[in-house]
């Protein structure tokens, strides 16, 4: 299950490209922040530390990601043919209010749960002396990475709230026009 999650998660790199070349109206930077957080968890946490696969925070995170992506891609697909029902628009711009905190909590708990394991094993860490004369402490890197959520999480969440207000107001207005 992790391999298929990694494969599909890695394909999300295309979303950054799509935003950068204007194929979709998303911000490339916002898209990058969201995609990289998943890729870090998939490739730098779940892949090398299989012990955490059975922890309850992993399915919590993956289920939140899956529900969000299913709704989002259905919305995008039906947008291409201009057939998006209001309920799907509402789900697209409302589910994040609970899925985002669940997904981020799952990500942070998953990262946090590997800290004792990688500290004990020295995974991805490099200590001195060595031929490159540099050191790297993977647990400290991940703790700093988790701290990085603090400034970005509120910004991304507020961005989505603004998008919700804009899109649901527009969808309601479009529905009234079609009804008349």
């Amino acid at each position: 299950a992790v391999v298929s999650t990694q494969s599909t998660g890695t394909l999300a790199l295309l979303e950054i490209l799509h935003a950068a070349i204007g194929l979709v109206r998303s911000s490339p930077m916002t898209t990058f922040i969201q995609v990289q957080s998943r890729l870090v968890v998939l490739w730098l946490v779940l892949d090398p530390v299989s012990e955490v696969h059975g922890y309850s925070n992993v399915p919590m995170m993956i289920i939140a990601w899956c529900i969000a992506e299913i709704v989002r891609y259905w919305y995008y697909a039906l947008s291409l043919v201009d057939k998006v029902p209001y309920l799907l628009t509402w789900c697209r711009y409302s589910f994040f209010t609970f899925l985002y905190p669940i997904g981020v909590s799952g990500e942070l708990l998953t990262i946090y749960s590997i800290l004792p394991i990688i500290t004990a094993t020295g995974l991805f860490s490099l200590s001195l002396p060595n031929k490159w004369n540099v050191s790297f402490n993977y647990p400290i890197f991940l703790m700093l990475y988790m701290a990085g959520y603090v400034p970005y999480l509120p910004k991304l969440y507020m961005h989505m709230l603004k998008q919700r207000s804009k899109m649901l107001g527009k969808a309601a207005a479009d529905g009234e026009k079609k009804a008349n």
Side-chain angles (χ1 to χ4, degrees):
V2 171
V3 172
S4 61
T5 304
Q6 285 176 316
S7 301
T8 55
T10 304
L11 286 173
L13 287 169
L14 291 173
E15 292 186 36
I16 301 168
L17 175 66
H18 295 161
I21 64 174
L23 195 60
V24 295
R25 294 183 311 201
S26 301
S27 159
M29 190 57 173
T30 302
T31 305
F32 170 78
I33 291 167
Q34 293 172 332
V35 169
Q36 68 79 28
S37 71
R38 289 185 184 185
L39 293 179
V40 165
V41 172
L42 289 172
W43 288 103
L44 299 179
V45 175
L46 290 176
D47 183 56
V49 187
S50 60
E51 294 91 334
V52 298
H53 294 183
Y55 292 12
S56 61
N57 43 292
V58 174
M60 174 177 88
M61 170 186 69
I62 292 175
I63 290 168
W65 289 353
C66 289
I67 293 169
E69 296 307 321
I70 289 167
V71 170
R72 191 164 66 94
Y73 283 118
W74 269 109
Y75 177 85
Y76 285 161
L78 293 176
S79 292
L80 294 173
V81 292
D82 198 29
K83 299 284 184 195
V84 181
Y86 179 78
L87 179 60
L88 183 58
T89 301
W90 184 88
C91 291
R92 165 74 176 101
Y93 290 99
S94 298
F95 279 14
F96 82 91
T97 59
F98 61 91
L99 291 175
Y100 206 69
I102 292 170
V104 168
S105 296
E107 291 172 23
L108 290 171
L109 288 168
T110 300
I111 295 169
Y112 182 78
S113 67
I114 75 161
L115 291 176
I117 298 167
I118 64 174
T119 299
T121 64
L123 180 71
F124 297 147
S125 292
L126 184 63
S127 57
L128 290 171
N130 60 59
K131 66 181 180 178
W132 300 289
N133 202 30
V134 296
S135 66
F136 178 73
N137 187 298
Y138 189 48
I140 290 175
F141 167 79
L142 287 179
M143 286 185 264
L144 292 171
Y145 182 80
M146 288 190 302
Y149 276 70
V150 174
Y152 288 107
L153 178 62
K155 287 179 184 178
L156 292 172
Y157 197 81
M158 294 306 292
H159 170 74
M160 286 303 297
L161 283 174
K162 288 177 189 168
Q163 290 294 103
R164 180 179 192 272
S165 178
K166 177 178 142 185
M167 295 305 291
L168 292 184
K170 180 181 181 259
D174 288 349
E176 287 176 18
K177 286 178 191 174
K178 288 180 184 177
N180 292 332

